[in-house]
Amino acid sequence: MPRPVTHRLLGLLAAGSLTLLGAACGTSSSVTPPAHPAPPVDYYVSLGDSYAAGYQPSGQHSGSTNTNGFAYQIPALAAKKGYDFTLVNFGCGGATTTSILETPGCHQLGPGATPYPNETQAAAAEAFLRAHVGHVGLITVSIGGNDVTACASAVSPVTCVQAAVTTINKNLAVLVKGLRAAAGPSAPIVGTTYPDVILGVYLTGGAPERQLAELSVLAFKDIINPALSTQYASVGGKFVDVTTATGAYGSLSQKTDLPPYGEIPVPVAKICELTFFCEYHDIHPRTPGYAIIAKLVVATLPQHS
């Protein structure tokens, strides 16, 4: 027997009352799902020397830091993998593995960097990392180059590099352990090395200079880069071999024509193209050279979900 219309109306009214009550209490039987949240903004912290600060020369004895540096190129490249990085750059022109731990302040910061006049670079970076644990998506370290630069003019370059690397090992061990402790166990730490710009002295044409160019390749391959790689690995970090990526280990007997230098070894030509060494006798990369470093770093990051 059909239910009376009165009963059906009462049922509908009761259902409507429950719906209204649910709305008043903040619940609903039909809730629109929230939009997919945007990935959180993570900080990218850069430490190191003039490479980290983004220095480029504008002439033989002039230049400045600018946003062509690898640290400034990384956020846009990382965005293609789903990251939203805000750069915090502590890099300082002229820094060594000793000064980064012991010398307060910096005379040559990168664009947009916040000065730290009363702190060492390491202390300033560690303080920032401690204050933002869980919100740091990347840390890069570019240090050690200025420790070995003087060895190019030493009487015994190999002995000089070996001594410098002893210092690098000692100081870098302290630095990376401090960064890991401040950032927590999961923050990615990536160490970088350098193009072998000393290959550029090959252009002078003298036998001693050519021998120095050959020795520089061995120094990077057998002494400098293994030491850097070991220290970053000691705290679960990664190491990107910029020396290999910029062609240093190619054959010096293989030649190419590069104006205005003429026919020169391919590894030397790469240094001329990617850095300012051949033009200004300056160790810093051109913008494409910095781009190689940025791409190597971003390649270490997994695709962001």
Side-chain angles (χ1 to χ4, degrees):
M1 181 176 182
R3 295 175 64 191
V5 172
T6 303
H7 287 175
R8 291 202 300 271
L9 287 173
L10 288 175
L12 290 171
L13 288 172
S17 298
L18 288 173
T19 300
L20 290 172
L21 180 61
C25 296
T27 62
S28 172
S29 59
S30 179
V31 179
T32 302
H36 185 71
V41 176
D42 283 333
Y43 292 105
Y44 157 39
V45 177
S46 166
L47 294 92
D49 50 28
S50 53
Y51 272 53
Y55 180 88
Q56 288 182 315
S58 55
Q60 190 72 41
H61 300 292
S62 61
S64 63
T65 58
N66 60 59
T67 56
N68 294 329
F70 78 84
Y72 297 91
Q73 295 189 42
I74 282 175
L77 291 173
K80 297 176 182 179
K81 298 182 78 170
Y83 294 86
D84 186 5
F85 283 151
T86 296
L87 172 63
V88 181
N89 198 351
F90 294 94
C92 179
T96 66
T97 61
T98 299
S99 71
I100 200 171
L101 296 172
E102 299 180 2
T103 304
C106 175
H107 69 285
Q108 190 179 70
L109 292 166
T114 300
Y116 41 91
N118 301 314
E119 294 180 287
T120 66
Q121 185 182 159
E126 288 172 15
F128 182 89
L129 293 172
R130 283 193 296 270
H132 297 88
V133 171
H135 297 283
V136 175
L138 176 64
I139 302 165
T140 60
V141 184
S142 171
I143 201 71
N146 291 321
D147 292 62
V148 300
T149 299
C151 293
S153 58
V155 175
S156 177
V158 173
T159 301
C160 177
V161 168
Q162 289 172 333
V165 167
T166 298
T167 300
I168 289 172
N169 273 322
K170 176 184 174 182
N171 291 334
L172 193 54
V174 174
L175 177 65
V176 296
K177 287 176 183 175
L179 294 175
R180 175 57 73 208
S186 61
I189 297 176
V190 181
T192 69
T193 185
Y194 306 86
D196 182 4
V197 296
I198 304 304
L199 279 167
V201 303
Y202 188 98
L203 294 180
T204 61
E209 287 77 17
R210 293 188 178 192
Q211 183 182 27
L212 177 61
E214 293 171 356
L215 287 174
S216 70
V217 174
L218 294 176
F220 270 103
K221 187 175 183 179
D222 297 337
I223 305 173
I224 300 169
N225 288 348
L228 294 175
S229 178
T230 297
Q231 292 304 329
Y232 293 115
S234 72
V235 293
K238 296 180 180 179
F239 172 74
V240 293
D241 191 343
V242 179
T243 319
T244 295
T246 49
Y249 301 136
S251 172
L252 291 175
S253 63
Q254 184 180 357
K255 303 295 180 66
T256 187
D257 186 68
L258 180 68
Y261 308 107
E263 192 173 82
I264 59 176
V266 170
V268 178
K270 284 287 187 181
I271 286 300
C272 294
E273 291 172 333
L274 296 173
T275 79
F276 289 96
F277 193 87
C278 303
E279 183 177 2
Y280 297 137
H281 212 68
D282 186 283
I283 66 174
H284 297 92
R286 300 176 187 274
T287 302
Y290 274 132
I292 288 175
I293 303 174
K295 289 173 183 176
L296 288 171
V297 171
V298 172
T300 69
L301 299 173
Q303 185 70 35
H304 199 290
S305 58

